[in-house]
PDB file of all heavy atoms in Angstrom:
ATOM      1  N   LEU A  20       3.626  14.687   0.550  1.00 95.00           N
ATOM      2  CA  LEU A  20       2.597  14.039   1.468  1.00 95.00           C
ATOM      3  C   LEU A  20       2.813  12.495   1.608  1.00 95.00           C
ATOM      4  O   LEU A  20       2.624  11.935   2.711  1.00 95.00           O
ATOM      5  CB  LEU A  20       1.207  14.365   0.868  1.00 95.00           C
ATOM      6  CG  LEU A  20       0.758  15.764   0.873  1.00 95.00           C
ATOM      7  CD1 LEU A  20      -0.569  15.915   0.163  1.00 95.00           C
ATOM      8  CD2 LEU A  20       0.618  16.271   2.372  1.00 95.00           C
ATOM      9  N   LEU A  21       3.224  11.813   0.546  1.00 95.00           N
ATOM     10  CA  LEU A  21       3.435  10.431   0.657  1.00 95.00           C
ATOM     11  C   LEU A  21       4.664  10.151   1.548  1.00 95.00           C
ATOM     12  O   LEU A  21       4.635   9.306   2.447  1.00 95.00           O
ATOM     13  CB  LEU A  21       3.793   9.873  -0.732  1.00 95.00           C
ATOM     14  CG  LEU A  21       2.614   9.735  -1.753  1.00 95.00           C
ATOM     15  CD1 LEU A  21       3.149   9.408  -3.121  1.00 95.00           C
ATOM     16  CD2 LEU A  21       1.599   8.657  -1.260  1.00 95.00           C
ATOM     17  N   VAL A  22       5.698  10.897   1.409  1.00 95.00           N
ATOM     18  CA  VAL A  22       6.899  10.749   2.241  1.00 95.00           C
ATOM     19  C   VAL A  22       6.578  11.029   3.719  1.00 95.00           C
ATOM     20  O   VAL A  22       7.017  10.378   4.648  1.00 95.00           O
ATOM     21  CB  VAL A  22       8.073  11.650   1.795  1.00 95.00           C
ATOM     22  CG1 VAL A  22       9.223  11.696   2.801  1.00 95.00           C
ATOM     23  CG2 VAL A  22       8.586  11.226   0.407  1.00 95.00           C
ATOM     24  N   SER A  23       5.738  12.041   3.982  1.00 94.00           N
ATOM     25  CA  SER A  23       5.358  12.382   5.443  1.00 94.00           C
ATOM     26  C   SER A  23       4.405  11.351   6.011  1.00 94.00           C
ATOM     27  O   SER A  23       4.187  11.458   7.304  1.00 94.00           O
ATOM     28  CB  SER A  23       4.722  13.786   5.394  1.00 94.00           C
ATOM     29  OG  SER A  23       3.463  13.736   4.767  1.00 94.00           O
ATOM     30  N   GLY A  24       3.845  10.420   5.228  1.00 93.00           N
ATOM     31  CA  GLY A  24       3.010   9.442   5.779  1.00 93.00           C
ATOM     32  C   GLY A  24       1.581   9.735   5.894  1.00 93.00           C
ATOM     33  O   GLY A  24       0.797   9.239   6.706  1.00 93.00           O
ATOM     34  N   VAL A  25       1.125  10.788   5.095  1.00 93.00           N
ATOM     35  CA  VAL A  25      -0.376  11.140   5.110  1.00 93.00           C
ATOM     36  C   VAL A  25      -1.183  10.001   4.629  1.00 93.00           C
ATOM     37  O   VAL A  25      -2.315   9.811   5.090  1.00 93.00           O
ATOM     38  CB  VAL A  25      -0.539  12.457   4.372  1.00 93.00           C
ATOM     39  CG1 VAL A  25      -2.038  12.770   4.253  1.00 93.00           C
ATOM     40  CG2 VAL A  25       0.172  13.619   5.018  1.00 93.00           C
ATOM     41  N   GLY A  26      -0.677   9.348   3.608  1.00 91.00           N
ATOM     42  CA  GLY A  26      -1.472   8.256   3.029  1.00 91.00           C
ATOM     43  C   GLY A  26      -0.639   7.606   1.903  1.00 91.00           C
ATOM     44  O   GLY A  26       0.543   7.812   1.736  1.00 91.00           O
ATOM     45  N   TRP A  27      -1.338   6.640   1.201  1.00 92.00           N
ATOM     46  CA  TRP A  27      -0.678   5.957   0.058  1.00 92.00           C
ATOM     47  C   TRP A  27      -1.177   6.561  -1.226  1.00 92.00           C
ATOM     48  O   TRP A  27      -2.202   7.238  -1.274  1.00 92.00           O
ATOM     49  CB  TRP A  27      -0.942   4.457   0.166  1.00 92.00           C
ATOM     50  CG  TRP A  27      -2.386   4.132  -0.163  1.00 92.00           C
ATOM     51  CD1 TRP A  27      -3.427   4.057   0.717  1.00 92.00           C
ATOM     52  CD2 TRP A  27      -2.990   3.773  -1.432  1.00 92.00           C
ATOM     53  NE1 TRP A  27      -4.598   3.725   0.053  1.00 92.00           N
ATOM     54  CE2 TRP A  27      -4.388   3.565  -1.226  1.00 92.00           C
ATOM     55  CE3 TRP A  27      -2.441   3.659  -2.693  1.00 92.00           C
ATOM     56  CZ2 TRP A  27      -5.169   3.189  -2.291  1.00 92.00           C
ATOM     57  CZ3 TRP A  27      -3.318   3.282  -3.736  1.00 92.00           C
ATOM     58  CH2 TRP A  27      -4.695   3.102  -3.608  1.00 92.00           C
ATOM     59  N   GLY A  28      -0.466   6.284  -2.324  1.00 91.00           N
ATOM     60  CA  GLY A  28      -0.959   6.831  -3.597  1.00 91.00           C
ATOM     61  C   GLY A  28      -0.037   6.445  -4.753  1.00 91.00           C
ATOM     62  O   GLY A  28       0.888   5.766  -4.550  1.00 91.00           O
ATOM     63  N   PHE A  29      -0.550   6.662  -6.004  1.00 90.00           N
ATOM     64  CA  PHE A  29       0.060   6.332  -7.217  1.00 90.00           C
ATOM     65  C   PHE A  29       1.029   7.548  -7.511  1.00 90.00           C
ATOM     66  O   PHE A  29       0.554   8.630  -7.524  1.00 90.00           O
ATOM     67  CB  PHE A  29      -0.889   6.053  -8.299  1.00 90.00           C
ATOM     68  CG  PHE A  29      -1.529   4.706  -8.206  1.00 90.00           C
ATOM     69  CD1 PHE A  29      -2.649   4.563  -7.629  1.00 90.00           C
ATOM     70  CD2 PHE A  29      -0.895   3.654  -8.822  1.00 90.00           C
ATOM     71  CE1 PHE A  29      -3.269   3.283  -7.542  1.00 90.00           C
ATOM     72  CE2 PHE A  29      -1.461   2.309  -8.775  1.00 90.00           C
ATOM     73  CZ  PHE A  29      -2.682   2.195  -8.078  1.00 90.00           C
ATOM     74  N   ILE A  30       2.218   7.230  -8.006  1.00 91.00           N
ATOM     75  CA  ILE A  30       3.129   8.379  -8.458  1.00 91.00           C
ATOM     76  C   ILE A  30       4.082   7.727  -9.467  1.00 91.00           C
ATOM     77  O   ILE A  30       4.448   6.500  -9.387  1.00 91.00           O
ATOM     78  CB  ILE A  30       3.901   8.894  -7.242  1.00 91.00           C
ATOM     79  CG1 ILE A  30       4.636  10.156  -7.604  1.00 91.00           C
ATOM     80  CG2 ILE A  30       4.817   7.890  -6.596  1.00 91.00           C
ATOM     81  CD1 ILE A  30       5.205  10.917  -6.370  1.00 91.00           C
ATOM     82  N   PRO A  31       4.487   8.516 -10.410  1.00 89.00           N
ATOM     83  CA  PRO A  31       5.444   7.979 -11.403  1.00 89.00           C
ATOM     84  C   PRO A  31       6.804   7.570 -10.732  1.00 89.00           C
ATOM     85  O   PRO A  31       7.310   8.286  -9.831  1.00 89.00           O
ATOM     86  CB  PRO A  31       5.751   9.208 -12.321  1.00 89.00           C
ATOM     87  CG  PRO A  31       4.472  10.019 -12.236  1.00 89.00           C
ATOM     88  CD  PRO A  31       4.071   9.847 -10.797  1.00 89.00           C
ATOM     89  N   SER A  32       7.316   6.399 -11.132  1.00 91.00           N
ATOM     90  CA  SER A  32       8.451   5.865 -10.425  1.00 91.00           C
ATOM     91  C   SER A  32       9.698   6.700 -10.557  1.00 91.00           C
ATOM     92  O   SER A  32      10.568   6.682  -9.632  1.00 91.00           O
ATOM     93  CB  SER A  32       8.704   4.382 -10.915  1.00 91.00           C
ATOM     94  OG  SER A  32       8.912   4.463 -12.374  1.00 91.00           O
ATOM     95  N   HIS A  33       9.849   7.418 -11.734  1.00 89.00           N
ATOM     96  CA  HIS A  33      10.985   8.323 -11.863  1.00 89.00           C
ATOM     97  C   HIS A  33      11.075   9.481 -10.879  1.00 89.00           C
ATOM     98  O   HIS A  33      12.139  10.098 -10.715  1.00 89.00           O
ATOM     99  CB  HIS A  33      11.169   8.771 -13.285  1.00 89.00           C
ATOM    100  CG  HIS A  33      10.019   9.666 -13.734  1.00 89.00           C
ATOM    101  ND1 HIS A  33       8.905   9.270 -14.296  1.00 89.00           N
ATOM    102  CD2 HIS A  33       9.912  11.070 -13.639  1.00 89.00           C
ATOM    103  CE1 HIS A  33       8.098  10.285 -14.588  1.00 89.00           C
ATOM    104  NE2 HIS A  33       8.664  11.367 -14.191  1.00 89.00           N
ATOM    105  N   HIS A  34       9.900   9.794 -10.256  1.00 90.00           N
ATOM    106  CA  HIS A  34       9.910  10.873  -9.284  1.00 90.00           C
ATOM    107  C   HIS A  34      10.455  10.476  -7.956  1.00 90.00           C
ATOM    108  O   HIS A  34      10.747  11.297  -7.089  1.00 90.00           O
ATOM    109  CB  HIS A  34       8.434  11.402  -9.155  1.00 90.00           C
ATOM    110  CG  HIS A  34       8.059  12.402 -10.162  1.00 90.00           C
ATOM    111  ND1 HIS A  34       8.811  13.396 -10.626  1.00 90.00           N
ATOM    112  CD2 HIS A  34       6.899  12.511 -10.849  1.00 90.00           C
ATOM    113  CE1 HIS A  34       8.225  14.081 -11.560  1.00 90.00           C
ATOM    114  NE2 HIS A  34       7.065  13.581 -11.696  1.00 90.00           N
ATOM    115  N   ILE A  35      10.510   9.137  -7.648  1.00 94.00           N
ATOM    116  CA  ILE A  35      10.765   8.705  -6.352  1.00 94.00           C
ATOM    117  C   ILE A  35      11.884   7.648  -6.294  1.00 94.00           C
ATOM    118  O   ILE A  35      11.908   6.773  -5.407  1.00 94.00           O
ATOM    119  CB  ILE A  35       9.431   8.064  -5.662  1.00 94.00           C
ATOM    120  CG1 ILE A  35       8.868   7.034  -6.580  1.00 94.00           C
ATOM    121  CG2 ILE A  35       8.467   9.216  -5.316  1.00 94.00           C
ATOM    122  CD1 ILE A  35       7.870   6.188  -5.827  1.00 94.00           C
ATOM    123  N   GLU A  36      12.809   7.697  -7.276  1.00 93.00           N
ATOM    124  CA  GLU A  36      13.931   6.763  -7.311  1.00 93.00           C
ATOM    125  C   GLU A  36      14.712   6.729  -6.016  1.00 93.00           C
ATOM    126  O   GLU A  36      15.068   5.673  -5.498  1.00 93.00           O
ATOM    127  CB  GLU A  36      14.744   6.993  -8.546  1.00 93.00           C
ATOM    128  CG  GLU A  36      14.052   6.697  -9.841  1.00 93.00           C
ATOM    129  CD  GLU A  36      14.916   7.033 -11.033  1.00 93.00           C
ATOM    130  OE1 GLU A  36      15.974   7.684 -10.825  1.00 93.00           O
ATOM    131  OE2 GLU A  36      14.561   6.625 -12.166  1.00 93.00           O
ATOM    132  N   GLN A  37      15.043   7.948  -5.613  1.00 95.00           N
ATOM    133  CA  GLN A  37      15.870   7.991  -4.347  1.00 95.00           C
ATOM    134  C   GLN A  37      15.179   7.488  -3.088  1.00 95.00           C
ATOM    135  O   GLN A  37      15.667   6.878  -2.269  1.00 95.00           O
ATOM    136  CB  GLN A  37      16.394   9.469  -4.159  1.00 95.00           C
ATOM    137  CG  GLN A  37      17.304   9.939  -5.205  1.00 95.00           C
ATOM    138  CD  GLN A  37      17.779  11.395  -4.989  1.00 95.00           C
ATOM    139  OE1 GLN A  37      17.429  12.049  -3.988  1.00 95.00           O
ATOM    140  NE2 GLN A  37      18.704  11.858  -5.733  1.00 95.00           N
ATOM    141  N   GLU A  38      13.830   7.874  -3.033  1.00 96.00           N
ATOM    142  CA  GLU A  38      12.998   7.474  -1.843  1.00 96.00           C
ATOM    143  C   GLU A  38      12.913   5.990  -1.827  1.00 96.00           C
ATOM    144  O   GLU A  38      12.946   5.350  -0.748  1.00 96.00           O
ATOM    145  CB  GLU A  38      11.707   8.232  -1.923  1.00 96.00           C
ATOM    146  CG  GLU A  38      11.688   9.621  -1.600  1.00 96.00           C
ATOM    147  CD  GLU A  38      12.270  10.478  -2.733  1.00 96.00           C
ATOM    148  OE1 GLU A  38      12.355  10.059  -3.883  1.00 96.00           O
ATOM    149  OE2 GLU A  38      12.629  11.705  -2.500  1.00 96.00           O
ATOM    150  N   LEU A  39      12.718   5.350  -2.977  1.00 95.00           N
ATOM    151  CA  LEU A  39      12.615   3.921  -3.063  1.00 95.00           C
ATOM    152  C   LEU A  39      13.942   3.232  -2.592  1.00 95.00           C
ATOM    153  O   LEU A  39      13.946   2.221  -1.883  1.00 95.00           O
ATOM    154  CB  LEU A  39      12.176   3.413  -4.381  1.00 95.00           C
ATOM    155  CG  LEU A  39      10.746   3.692  -4.844  1.00 95.00           C
ATOM    156  CD1 LEU A  39      10.531   3.369  -6.266  1.00 95.00           C
ATOM    157  CD2 LEU A  39       9.675   3.041  -3.937  1.00 95.00           C
ATOM    158  N   ALA A  40      15.048   3.801  -3.041  1.00 96.00           N
ATOM    159  CA  ALA A  40      16.417   3.278  -2.779  1.00 96.00           C
ATOM    160  C   ALA A  40      16.693   3.353  -1.352  1.00 96.00           C
ATOM    161  O   ALA A  40      17.297   2.516  -0.730  1.00 96.00           O
ATOM    162  CB  ALA A  40      17.429   3.918  -3.656  1.00 96.00           C
ATOM    163  N   SER A  41      16.268   4.550  -0.690  1.00 96.00           N
ATOM    164  CA  SER A  41      16.633   4.752   0.743  1.00 96.00           C
ATOM    165  C   SER A  41      15.632   4.134   1.698  1.00 96.00           C
ATOM    166  O   SER A  41      15.853   4.043   2.896  1.00 96.00           O
ATOM    167  CB  SER A  41      16.632   6.270   0.959  1.00 96.00           C
ATOM    168  OG  SER A  41      15.313   6.876   0.797  1.00 96.00           O
ATOM    169  N   GLY A  42      14.400   3.658   1.135  1.00 94.00           N
ATOM    170  CA  GLY A  42      13.424   3.046   1.978  1.00 94.00           C
ATOM    171  C   GLY A  42      12.453   4.060   2.526  1.00 94.00           C
ATOM    172  O   GLY A  42      11.584   3.762   3.328  1.00 94.00           O
ATOM    173  N   THR A  43      12.606   5.369   2.167  1.00 95.00           N
ATOM    174  CA  THR A  43      11.595   6.402   2.630  1.00 95.00           C
ATOM    175  C   THR A  43      10.213   6.118   2.137  1.00 95.00           C
ATOM    176  O   THR A  43       9.257   6.391   2.807  1.00 95.00           O
ATOM    177  CB  THR A  43      12.069   7.794   2.160  1.00 95.00           C
ATOM    178  OG1 THR A  43      13.402   7.931   2.457  1.00 95.00           O
ATOM    179  CG2 THR A  43      11.228   8.892   2.739  1.00 95.00           C
ATOM    180  N   LEU A  44      10.139   5.520   0.960  1.00 95.00           N
ATOM    181  CA  LEU A  44       8.882   5.043   0.418  1.00 95.00           C
ATOM    182  C   LEU A  44       8.980   3.648  -0.016  1.00 95.00           C
ATOM    183  O   LEU A  44      10.110   3.146  -0.438  1.00 95.00           O
ATOM    184  CB  LEU A  44       8.436   5.959  -0.840  1.00 95.00           C
ATOM    185  CG  LEU A  44       7.937   7.358  -0.512  1.00 95.00           C
ATOM    186  CD1 LEU A  44       7.684   8.104  -1.836  1.00 95.00           C
ATOM    187  CD2 LEU A  44       6.678   7.367   0.301  1.00 95.00           C
ATOM    188  N   LYS A  45       7.855   2.897   0.084  1.00 94.00           N
ATOM    189  CA  LYS A  45       7.907   1.494  -0.287  1.00 94.00           C
ATOM    190  C   LYS A  45       6.936   1.206  -1.309  1.00 94.00           C
ATOM    191  O   LYS A  45       5.723   1.687  -1.217  1.00 94.00           O
ATOM    192  CB  LYS A  45       7.598   0.679   1.017  1.00 94.00           C
ATOM    193  CG  LYS A  45       7.575  -0.844   0.828  1.00 94.00           C
ATOM    194  CD  LYS A  45       7.268  -1.601   2.143  1.00 94.00           C
ATOM    195  CE  LYS A  45       7.201  -3.096   1.943  1.00 94.00           C
ATOM    196  NZ  LYS A  45       6.825  -3.777   3.177  1.00 94.00           N
ATOM    197  N   HIS A  46       7.283   0.452  -2.327  1.00 93.00           N
ATOM    198  CA  HIS A  46       6.331  -0.071  -3.327  1.00 93.00           C
ATOM    199  C   HIS A  46       5.367  -1.006  -2.759  1.00 93.00           C
ATOM    200  O   HIS A  46       5.661  -1.974  -2.105  1.00 93.00           O
ATOM    201  CB  HIS A  46       7.115  -0.690  -4.463  1.00 93.00           C
ATOM    202  CG  HIS A  46       6.239  -1.141  -5.658  1.00 93.00           C
ATOM    203  ND1 HIS A  46       6.600  -2.151  -6.479  1.00 93.00           N
ATOM    204  CD2 HIS A  46       4.949  -0.702  -6.082  1.00 93.00           C
ATOM    205  CE1 HIS A  46       5.610  -2.388  -7.307  1.00 93.00           C
ATOM    206  NE2 HIS A  46       4.616  -1.508  -7.087  1.00 93.00           N
ATOM    207  N   ILE A  47       4.049  -0.748  -2.948  1.00 92.00           N
ATOM    208  CA  ILE A  47       3.007  -1.664  -2.419  1.00 92.00           C
ATOM    209  C   ILE A  47       2.867  -2.766  -3.376  1.00 92.00           C
ATOM    210  O   ILE A  47       2.448  -2.649  -4.567  1.00 92.00           O
ATOM    211  CB  ILE A  47       1.703  -0.828  -2.250  1.00 92.00           C
ATOM    212  CG1 ILE A  47       1.831   0.319  -1.323  1.00 92.00           C
ATOM    213  CG2 ILE A  47       0.550  -1.855  -1.716  1.00 92.00           C
ATOM    214  CD1 ILE A  47       0.608   1.213  -1.254  1.00 92.00           C
TER     215      ILE A  47
END
């Protein structure tokens, strides 16, 4: 849901390492 842009939220960083690296998700 975060990747699809439904909203923002808290998530463990180890779950989204690739998304952060690719820019799919952005740390607020």
Side-chain angles (χ1 to χ4, degrees):
L20 291 171
L21 289 169
V22 170
S23 67
V25 172
W27 69 274
F29 284 91
I30 191 168
S32 58
H33 63 269
H34 278 317
I35 54 168
E36 290 176 350
Q37 293 183 358
E38 287 74 17
L39 289 173
S41 66
T43 308
L44 289 174
K45 181 181 178 182
H46 179 207
I47 300 171

